Amino acid sequence: MSESFAPQSGTRPDARDQIAGVSFAMLLVGPDLTIAEANPAAESMIGISARRLMGRSLLEIVNVEQQHLVDKLRKGETQLIVRGLELKLGENRLRTNLTVSPMPVHPGWRVVTLSEKGQGELLDDEERRANLRGPAVLAHEIKNPLAAIRGAAQLLGRKAKEGELAWTRLIADEVDRIAALIDRMQRLGRERAEPIGPVNLHTAIHRAYETVQIATDLSVTWREEFDPSLPPVMANEGALVQVLVNLMANARDACASATEPQIVIRTRFVSGLVMNVMRLGRSVKLPIEITVSDNGPGVDASLRDHIFEPFVSSKPNGQGLGLALVQKLVRDMDGRITHERDEAGGWTHFRIHLPMAKPEKTA
């Protein structure tokens, strides 16, 4: 934390102290786009201390690739609001909401705010949960008649002739398929998160890998790039394994058409990533990163901004619940998941960021 934002006990917080408590990144930028002030959230998000940020150009730190936005930033009196903008912040590439607000009393000076898209928006999680309660209630009501239909099919199967057994089996199989789909819908609508605690990340990854390998007939090259020094993460082990199984299975299916199918699992420590967890009412640091990458053709460009939404799928026969469930489980662990397509390299990356487990207190 920079000295300019140091708290003063026993006094009413002034404007700077109030800004220091804001959970989204805030920068004060001069007429020449030089950074004059940075709050602690900006330090965390960008991964650079306020002292090192001051005096540097905004465009050097926030790598805006769209030329028309650069032109607008150079115009000191232009107000700017951009949502879902992909920015490179230091080593991190994030989809962000950007605002630039001129200060009329001080011509040329601006306040710049940055927040991750979908993170830190007060109603985001609550609205998502509300939207999923309806399907979950409907799923519960559908299950009872499904059970009756399956029972009736079994009774008919006992009296059916040999040539008719295939039809009764078809009814039972379809009922089972729909019931499994409903189970997944109900999991999406479940509000209570599973308990979390310290989890060995690489143990969870290996468990997921073994599960996916058992059901894999494809000749896929798997590669691990692990940081063995990583500490335990705060997670639910069963939920984390389920998340990784889904991502690995999706990666396997996605690269099936590649000439030489490859999947890479990476783990590393990153600094500066913070998510505002409204359920907890505070920010959470997310320094542990797991990346599942494949060299398949990637998700259709028209779906990339919606792949974590329920009932959105790029698979011909997909129901669109897998990634929605993955996102819910990750959020329940106070983490985040993002998707990125590297067209130049031909890789698709799904990145999970999780909090680090607190060290156990010694007696």
Side-chain angles (χ1 to χ4, degrees), residues 88-130:
K88 187 177 180 183
L89 299 173
E91 296 182 356
N92 304 315
R93 185 172 289 275
L94 305 174
R95 191 170 290 275
T96 63
N97 297 327
L98 168 72
T99 69
V100 180
S101 304
M103 303 179 70
V105 180
H106 301 279
W109 287 83
R110 285 155 286 177
V111 173
V112 177
T113 66
L114 292 163
S115 61
E116 285 193 62
K117 185 178 183 297
Q119 309 293 354
E121 297 177 5
L122 288 171
L123 298 180
D124 187 70
D125 281 348
E126 193 57 38
E127 286 179 347
R128 182 181 296 270
R129 293 180 187 277

Side-chain angles (χ1 to χ4, degrees), residues 4 24 43 70 73 97 110 113 129 170 217 242 251 255 303:
S4 60
F24 52 82
E43 293 179 294
V70 174
L73 283 171
N97 297 327
R110 285 155 286 177
T113 66
R129 293 180 187 277
L170 175 63
D217 296 326
Q242 181 62 55
C255 68
L303 299 178

Side-chain angles (χ1 to χ4, degrees), residues 119 125 129 187-188 193-194 196 234-236 238-244 246-247 275 277 279-280 284 286 288 290 308 322-338 350-355:
Q119 309 293 354
D125 281 348
R129 293 180 187 277
R187 289 190 69 186
L188 275 174
E194 298 293 332
I196 61 174
M234 281 299 288
N236 177 275
L240 181 56
V241 170
Q242 181 62 55
V243 164
L244 293 168
N246 281 28
L247 293 181
M275 183 179 74
V277 181
R279 176 172 60 83
L280 300 178
V284 176
L286 306 174
I288 309 298
I290 315 108
F308 294 111
L323 287 177
L325 179 58
V326 162
Q327 186 183 62
K328 179 192 183 302
L329 294 176
V330 171
R331 288 191 174 196
D332 284 348
M333 293 183 283
D334 300 330
R336 70 157 198 174
I337 181 168
T338 57
F350 281 87
R351 304 187 197 280
I352 302 170
H353 293 95
L354 292 171

Side-chain angles (χ1 to χ4, degrees), residues 127-159:
E127 286 179 347
R128 182 181 296 270
R129 293 180 187 277
N131 290 338
L132 292 173
R133 287 183 196 122
V137 172
L138 180 61
H140 178 75
E141 295 302 318
I142 291 174
K143 268 192 167 183
N144 289 332
L146 275 181
I149 293 170
R150 197 183 196 289
Q154 289 176 327
L155 288 175
L156 288 173
R158 295 172 187 171
K159 301 178 181 179

Side-chain angles (χ1 to χ4, degrees), residues 102-275:
M103 303 179 70
V105 180
H106 301 279
W109 287 83
R110 285 155 286 177
V111 173
V112 177
T113 66
L114 292 163
S115 61
E116 285 193 62
K117 185 178 183 297
Q119 309 293 354
E121 297 177 5
L122 288 171
L123 298 180
D124 187 70
D125 281 348
E126 193 57 38
E127 286 179 347
R128 182 181 296 270
R129 293 180 187 277
N131 290 338
L132 292 173
R133 287 183 196 122
V137 172
L138 180 61
H140 178 75
E141 295 302 318
I142 291 174
K143 268 192 167 183
N144 289 332
L146 275 181
I149 293 170
R150 197 183 196 289
Q154 289 176 327
L155 288 175
L156 288 173
R158 295 172 187 171
K159 301 178 181 179
K161 298 177 182 178
E162 185 62 32
E164 298 171 338
L165 286 175
W167 295 103
T168 58
R169 282 197 294 267
L170 175 63
I171 294 171
D173 290 345
E174 284 300 293
V175 166
D176 289 342
R177 183 183 66 82
I178 296 170
L181 177 61
I182 288 173
D183 284 339
R184 299 177 79 181
M185 289 173 63
Q186 287 182 309
R187 289 190 69 186
L188 275 174
R190 190 178 300 160
E191 295 184 35
R192 181 175 297 177
E194 298 293 332
I196 61 174
V199 173
N200 185 305
L201 177 61
H202 297 122
T203 299
I205 291 174
H206 285 134
R207 277 185 57 192
Y209 171 74
E210 290 169 0
T211 300
V212 174
Q213 274 294 89
I214 291 174
T216 299
D217 296 326
L218 298 172
S219 178
V220 179
T221 299
W222 295 77
R223 193 166 76 247
E224 295 178 354
E225 296 180 5
F226 290 172
D227 179 351
S229 67
L230 290 180
V233 296
M234 281 299 288
N236 177 275
E237 186 169 6
L240 181 56
V241 170
Q242 181 62 55
V243 164
L244 293 168
V245 165
N246 281 28
L247 293 181
M248 290 182 192
N250 284 352
R252 174 202 61 198
D253 297 342
C255 68
S257 59
T259 305
E260 297 181 2
Q262 297 180 57
I263 297 173
V264 181
I265 315 296
R266 296 183 178 89
T267 63
R268 65 170 186 154
F269 185 92
V270 296
S271 61
L273 292 177
V274 176
M275 183 179 74

